């Protein structure tokens, strides 16, 4: 025997199906949006570090290096090199953020600390292979969690740089006395020799996104629950209760009790129209039964 469901049960099944689909769709869409925002937030932090490095280098080139030009003949001061100043500036800043890293990764650096490591070297080669690239974005896994990386090319656009990096003979002796004559030479104008690489952890933004998603989904669940109760009460008061009354009165009329309670026709809606039709049918049926009796 086919199982029958009441109107309220059918309505609830439809509502629950729609609610589940809406809940899942909202969860997926919101999660994607929050992850995108977390990535964008991390990206902005990384670009801010890049700008801080560039600012430190420009300041050194404009205000420090010119003051020490003559002294380099007698003593090489790394602090007068814009690149060195930018690195030191960022390293000092990143002491407060130990999971952030900044490096001017170079394939053939003068200072060994700037040599590109295993994961930085492919970035430099990609930038060398495509001079039109101005920025590379990527993600990598670290012991602390996922991190977003930005790499920008280090290109020799100023011929003055070749004074220290073309040949050992052309470089200041005070510099070769410190770093030797093996590394950091053979650079050419307009060549990409390395990459500025910033790595920023995504752990905190991702955790924040997870908390926001959880709060949002609990709020959405509460809204669905409220709507479920409110719609059930509304359907009961305006539909199923009135239909049940119509059904009971119709049963009494079908048994010949034409003096049964009148239908409620006050609301003026579709159910009230149906009640009026029942009333007319009851009147017609009563008249027909009386004519048969006569």
């Amino acid at each position: 025997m086919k199982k029958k469901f009441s109107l309220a049960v059918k309505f609830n099944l439809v509502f629950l199906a729609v609610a589940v689909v809406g809940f899942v769709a909202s969860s997926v869409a919101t999660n994607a949006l929050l992850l995108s925002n977390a990535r964008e937030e991390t990206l902005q932090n990384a670009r801010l570090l890049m700008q801080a490095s560039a600012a430190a280098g420009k300041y050194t080139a404009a205000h420090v290096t010119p003051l020490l030009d003559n002294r380099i003949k007698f003593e090489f001061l790394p602090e007068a090199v814009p690149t060195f100043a930018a690195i030191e500036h960022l390293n000092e800043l990143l002491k407060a953020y130990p999971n952030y890293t900044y490096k001017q990764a170079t394939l053939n650096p003068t200072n060994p600390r700037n040599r590109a490591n295993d994961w930085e070297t492919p970035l430099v080669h990609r930038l060398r292979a495509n001079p039109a690239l101005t920025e590379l974005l990527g993600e990598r896994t670290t012991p602390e969690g996922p991190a977003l990386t930005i790499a920008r090319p280090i290109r020799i656009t100023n011929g003055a740089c070749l004074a220290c990096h073309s040949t050992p003979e052309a470089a200041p002796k005070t510099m070769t006395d410190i770093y030797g004559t093996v590394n950091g030479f053979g650079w050419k104008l307009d060549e990409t020799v390395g990459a500025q690489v910033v790595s920023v952890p995504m752990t905190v933004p991702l955790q924040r996104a997870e908390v926001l998603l959880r709060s949002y989904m609990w709020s959405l669940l509460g809204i669905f629950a409220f709507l479920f109760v409110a719609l059930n009460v509304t359907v009961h008061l305006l539909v199923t209760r009135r239909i049940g009354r119509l059904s009971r009165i119709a049963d009494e009329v079908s048994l010949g009790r034409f003096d049964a309670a009148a239908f409620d026709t006050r609301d003026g809606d579709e159910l009230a129209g149906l009640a009026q039709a029942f009333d007319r049918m009851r009147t017609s049926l009563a008249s027909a039964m009386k004519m048969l009796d006569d």
Side-chain angles (χ1 to χ4, degrees):
M1 183 176 178
K2 187 177 180 180
K3 190 174 182 180
K4 297 181 180 180
F5 295 99
S6 68
L7 188 62
V9 171
K10 292 178 180 179
F11 172 82
N12 285 329
L13 289 175
V14 172
F15 176 82
L16 288 175
V18 172
V20 169
V21 172
F23 190 83
V24 172
S26 297
S27 174
V28 172
T30 304
N31 185 56
L33 179 62
L34 290 173
L35 289 179
S36 176
N37 287 341
R39 192 175 189 277
E40 186 62 28
E41 177 185 343
T42 306
L43 187 59
Q44 292 302 321
N45 290 336
R47 284 176 172 154
L48 184 62
L49 289 180
M50 283 285 194
Q51 291 302 112
S53 169
K58 289 178 180 178
Y59 178 84
T60 301
H63 300 284
V64 178
T65 303
L67 297 176
L68 301 175
D69 273 344
N70 291 328
R71 188 170 177 181
I72 197 172
K73 299 176 183 178
F74 309 100
E75 180 185 8
F76 182 77
L77 298 174
E79 293 79 7
V81 180
T83 300
F84 183 91
I87 294 172
E88 291 299 309
H89 175 78
L90 262 295
N91 286 342
E92 189 66 29
L93 174 65
L94 295 181
K95 286 180 180 179
Y97 304 94
N99 294 332
Y100 290 59
T101 63
Y102 172 82
K103 184 175 178 181
Q104 298 210 7
T106 311
L107 298 178
N108 181 25
T110 301
N111 192 330
R113 73 173 181 178
N114 297 330
R115 188 174 302 279
N117 59 28
D118 292 341
W119 68 270
E120 294 164 344
T121 300
L123 299 178
V124 178
H125 283 304
R126 285 184 61 188
L127 292 170
R128 284 171 63 89
N130 190 350
L133 278 178
T134 58
E135 186 175 83
L136 281 177
L137 302 179
E139 294 183 17
R140 69 186 187 98
T141 302
T142 69
E144 293 77 24
L148 186 143
T149 61
I150 294 182
R152 291 179 179 174
I154 300 174
R155 292 194 177 99
I156 306 304
T157 57
N158 188 347
C161 296
L162 299 180
C164 296
H165 296 287
S166 57
T167 63
E169 293 75 21
K173 186 177 184 304
T174 52
M175 186 189 82
T176 57
D177 287 343
I178 296 176
Y179 296 109
T181 59
V182 177
N183 299 314
F185 300 103
W187 295 8
K188 297 178 178 61
L189 193 64
D190 295 325
E191 179 187 20
T192 299
V193 297
Q196 296 182 74
V197 181
V198 169
S199 178
V200 179
M202 297 182 65
T203 306
V204 173
L206 289 176
Q207 289 175 345
R208 189 181 300 118
E210 184 180 352
V211 171
L212 289 174
L213 177 64
R214 199 158 44 237
S215 300
Y216 172 77
M217 297 315 297
W218 276 113
S219 300
L220 192 62
L221 186 62
I223 292 172
F224 277 131
F226 172 78
L227 289 176
F228 180 79
V229 173
L231 288 175
N232 268 278
V233 171
T234 302
V235 169
H236 173 71
L237 293 176
L238 300 181
V239 181
T240 56
R241 186 182 66 167
R242 295 168 65 193
I243 290 177
R245 180 173 173 79
L246 281 173
S247 178
R248 288 192 297 272
I249 295 174
D251 282 340
E252 292 182 15
V253 171
S254 69
L255 296 175
R257 293 196 286 272
F258 299 111
D259 58 346
F263 294 109
D264 185 4
T265 60
R266 292 173 298 175
D267 289 341
D269 56 15
E270 288 82 355
L271 286 178
L274 178 62
Q276 291 173 353
F278 269 115
D279 259 339
R280 290 193 295 270
M281 184 180 68
R282 175 167 61 174
T283 301
S284 299
L285 184 58
S287 299
M289 294 299 294
K290 184 177 180 183
M291 290 174 65
L292 287 176
D293 289 339
D294 292 342

